[in-house]
Amino acid sequence: MPRFSVLLSSLVLALPVQAVEIAGRVHDGGRGVGGVLVSNGETLVRTDADGRYRIDVEDGQTVFVIKPPQCALPTGEDGLPVFWRHYLPEGTPTLRYGGIAPTPADASWDFALDCSVPAAAPPFDVLVFGDTQVTRSEDVGYYREDIVAPILSGRSPGREARFGVTLGDVVNDRLSLYPELNAVTAQLGIPWLHAAGNHDMDFDAAHDTASLTNFRRTYGPDTLAYEEGPVSLLVLDDVIYRPGERPAYVGGLREDQFAFLEAYLGQLPRERLVVLAMHIPLFTPAGKRETFRAADRERLYRLLEPFPNVLVLSAHTHVQQHYFHGAEDGWRGASPLHEYNVGAVCGGFWGGAKDARGVPDAVMADGTPNGHALMRVEADGGYSLRYVPAKGDPEAGLRLYGPRVLRRGAYPGVPVYANVFMGIDGDRVEMRIGDGDWTPMTRVDEPDPHVVRINLADDAAGSLRGFDRVPQAVPSTHLWRAMLPTDLASGVHVVEVRAFDRWRGELRAQTRYRLDDAEP
């Protein structure tokens, strides 16, 4: 390239992006709604008493309303909330899964709200879905049968939830499945928000800015705030696309996102419950390379530390765990920052043998069954959490695994395991035999034997037992163990385990084993 062309290109790149001012109105049936926050993804403005606002916007930005607690959002034909509009005078390049059309020159920047509905009084529930991650239409059917239908029928809790959020990896690289999946989610009949995941990216995009073109075409802004009752939900795209590198993404936040967070959190009352909904966890799993940029995490810590009530919801790992960020992580808040890394709706990637309904087992690598979570927002700004297994008893909070028969008098070296799905290190988990005394179980970092058994059965099978296998077992963070006694009478003995969940209270499960007499 000639030197003049290089200099000209550099000069063009150095020119500031031209912003234009747009004007609009936020209204409820024609009546202006004052005091509503409107954002371009970086800055915030409030509507005046007649609902009018003005804001500068740059090419590529999305203008959106931050729903106030006392109002509701209208829904579009796809059942998703309508609260945003892209500013793209030239549109976007067309990628494999399409692009975003140019914004009409006469586009309206008005937004509607419905403020006639009563404000949500806590407590109320929020449905939280980890990776739905569908690859085929068949997976969408599993999602409908395994997750959505039980909620609609009342068999699984969540029917009365105020709204819901999916924590990324909505699909598994097949962005064309968005409409089909959204049609199923819309059956729940509540407002639904979506965080972006690493499998929601346009991998044919040239850079990070364009990597969520089709996600944004479907779901709007990749970073937003949503207010309901005493909670502010911040939905964040925390996947930084790095084309040509391995891996092609890393967890982190962009400068425009930090600008938005600083502006929004800066005007928020300190007593408000702040919940972050994102895909990649803030913490780095033990023994792994850095999966979230440390500098970004530190900046986020500083913004969140003034708030006493903060919860982080993440997904991505296809296991379930709790992490408490403390001083050793760089967190300086008054109490540890709780991150709930939610188990996946698709569990082990919709893998495993199918049940009588034709739905795959989908157990996760740590032994957690696939399912969904519920977050209850409390009146005092607090929260409670529960996990709902998709299969079996939706009230079950643990699964036991132990032997069927042991030799009476043998060395007591065979354990019973309790996988406590929402278990946290330090929780009280106890076992008793029959009506005997309760004795503590020990938390262990081991693979769940139930998943190991499935892995071995897949290995031994002469033909495929499912379209895909469940993942290989990994050490679970919520597995407890106790050795079974062999010095009891011959016959069947009932093993009872109780776990004390910090939100649901006491949970119990039973199994049995038999002691047989034997001669050498």
Side-chain angles (χ1 to χ4, degrees):
M1 181 182 291
R3 183 172 178 272
F4 176 76
S5 298
V6 173
L7 291 173
L8 184 60
S9 298
S10 301
L11 184 62
V12 169
L13 289 173
L15 291 175
V17 176
Q18 294 298 312
V20 300
E21 185 183 68
I22 62 167
R25 187 166 181 259
V26 178
H27 62 90
D28 174 11
R31 180 181 61 85
V33 183
V36 177
L37 288 171
V38 181
S39 179
N40 60 12
E42 290 190 55
T43 59
L44 300 174
V45 296
R46 284 192 184 272
T47 59
D48 65 17
D50 192 39
R52 300 188 183 280
Y53 72 91
R54 292 180 176 275
I55 192 169
D56 288 342
V57 61
E58 298 173 0
D59 189 359
Q61 289 185 325
T62 301
V63 177
F64 60 93
V65 170
I66 296 176
K67 186 196 83 67
Q70 71 275 16
C71 300
L73 296 172
T75 55
E77 294 181 359
D78 57 4
L80 297 175
V82 176
F83 64 101
W84 53 270
R85 193 161 293 117
H86 299 305
Y87 178 70
L88 288 159
E90 305 298 327
T92 67
T94 299
L95 302 172
R96 176 185 177 187
Y97 290 102
I100 303 175
T103 305
D106 60 350
S108 169
W109 297 96
D110 292 355
F111 295 99
L113 292 174
D114 180 1
C115 302
S116 64
V117 296
F124 57 81
D125 289 335
V126 179
L127 279 165
V128 182
F129 288 2
D131 310 43
T132 44
Q133 202 154 346
V134 295
T135 308
R136 301 165 294 273
S137 290
E138 289 83 357
D139 297 340
V140 179
Y142 302 149
Y143 170 61
R144 180 180 59 248
E145 181 70 19
D146 217 23
I147 303 296
V148 173
I151 295 173
L152 288 174
S153 69
R155 189 184 76 81
S156 287
R159 187 71 184 93
E160 302 303 319
R162 294 291 302 192
F163 65 94
V165 59
T166 299
L167 302 174
D169 282 2
V170 183
V171 297
N172 188 29
D173 301 332
R174 287 280 302 280
L175 310 187
S176 58
L177 287 173
Y178 282 146
E180 189 176 349
L181 188 77
N182 293 339
V184 176
T185 306
Q187 294 174 17
L188 292 167
I190 57 176
W192 206 273
L193 305 170
H194 296 79
N198 53 289
H199 287 287
D200 293 312
M201 296 192 297
D202 291 281
F203 283 105
D204 53 339
H207 45 76
D208 181 61
T209 304
S211 65
L212 290 179
T213 294
N214 283 285
F215 178 91
R216 293 177 62 223
R217 182 182 67 178
T218 305
Y219 300 116
D222 60 45
T223 296
L224 60 98
Y226 183 95
E227 298 178 353
E228 189 77 29
V231 64
S232 286
L233 183 77
L234 287 160
V235 182
L236 306 178
D237 161 34
D238 70 338
V239 184
I240 305 296
Y241 181 42
R242 307 186 300 186
E245 298 187 39
R246 294 183 64 88
Y249 64 90
V250 68
L253 298 173
R254 307 182 305 266
E255 286 298 325
D256 60 294
Q257 293 175 292
F258 278 113
F260 172 76
L261 289 170
E262 289 171 6
Y264 180 71
L265 293 173
Q267 55 81 49
L268 208 60
R270 291 295 181 258
E271 67 276 8
R272 197 159 177 81
L273 172 61
V274 178
V275 177
L276 274 60
M278 56 181 62
H279 183 62
I280 296 179
L282 289 178
F283 65 89
T284 296
K288 301 288 186 179
R289 58 170 176 78
E290 183 178 82
T291 53
F292 195 99
R293 297 190 302 205
D296 292 354
R297 182 169 54 245
E298 289 276 345
R299 288 181 68 181
L300 185 59
Y301 281 166
R302 302 292 88 82
L303 293 173
L304 296 175
E305 284 163 354
F307 296 88
N309 300 313
V310 184
L311 171 66
V312 177
L313 299 172
S314 61
H316 185 56
T317 62
H318 294 261
V319 297
Q320 182 155 268
Q321 55 197 317
H322 297 266
Y323 190 92
F324 293 87
H325 299 258
E328 66 280 5
D329 302 295
W331 171 258
R332 303 172 192 164
S335 57
L337 171 63
H338 179 198
E339 179 170 356
Y340 173 31
N341 187 219
V342 183
V345 160
C346 76
F349 307 92
W350 297 116
K354 295 180 180 180
D355 61 17
R357 302 170 301 162
V359 177
D361 184 329
V363 67
M364 287 176 257
D366 68 341
T368 307
N370 74 306
H372 70 274
L374 276 176
M375 176 182 69
R376 173 154 291 185
V377 176
E378 308 289 356
D380 61 358
Y383 61 87
S384 60
L385 298 167
R386 71 175 292 184
Y387 185 71
V388 182
K391 300 173 180 68
D393 182 3
E395 298 297 322
L398 64 159
R399 172 188 281 152
L400 306 184
Y401 184 93
R404 295 176 60 187
V405 60
L406 296 173
R407 179 176 65 82
R408 182 171 178 263
Y411 178 76
V414 178
V416 62
Y417 288 90
N419 193 323
V420 184
F421 307 141
M422 289 289 282
I424 299 171
D425 192 9
D427 282 357
R428 180 178 161 201
V429 182
E430 299 172 332
M431 178 195 77
R432 71 176 178 182
I433 308 297
D435 295 326
D437 295 333
W438 291 100
T439 58
M441 300 181 74
T442 302
R443 197 190 70 79
V444 292
D445 291 311
E446 296 181 17
D448 182 298
H450 172 74
V451 184
V452 172
R453 182 181 66 178
I454 295 173
N455 294 157
L456 293 175
D458 285 339
D459 290 344
S463 58
L464 294 175
R465 298 188 335 121
F467 182 78
D468 279 321
R469 293 169 55 126
V470 301
Q472 291 297 112
V474 300
S476 172
T477 62
H478 42 82
L479 191 68
W480 277 258
R481 181 183 71 185
M483 299 303 171
L484 291 171
T486 59
D487 58 352
L488 306 175
S490 300
V492 175
H493 297 274
V494 175
V495 181
E496 189 171 20
V497 173
R498 64 181 183 184
F500 292 86
D501 183 289
R502 63 184 58 193
W503 297 289
R504 294 178 63 193
E506 184 177 324
L507 304 171
R508 294 197 183 196
Q510 285 188 355
T511 187
R512 288 172 168 78
Y513 74 111
R514 191 178 74 248
L515 288 175
D516 283 356
D517 291 305
E519 296 295 332

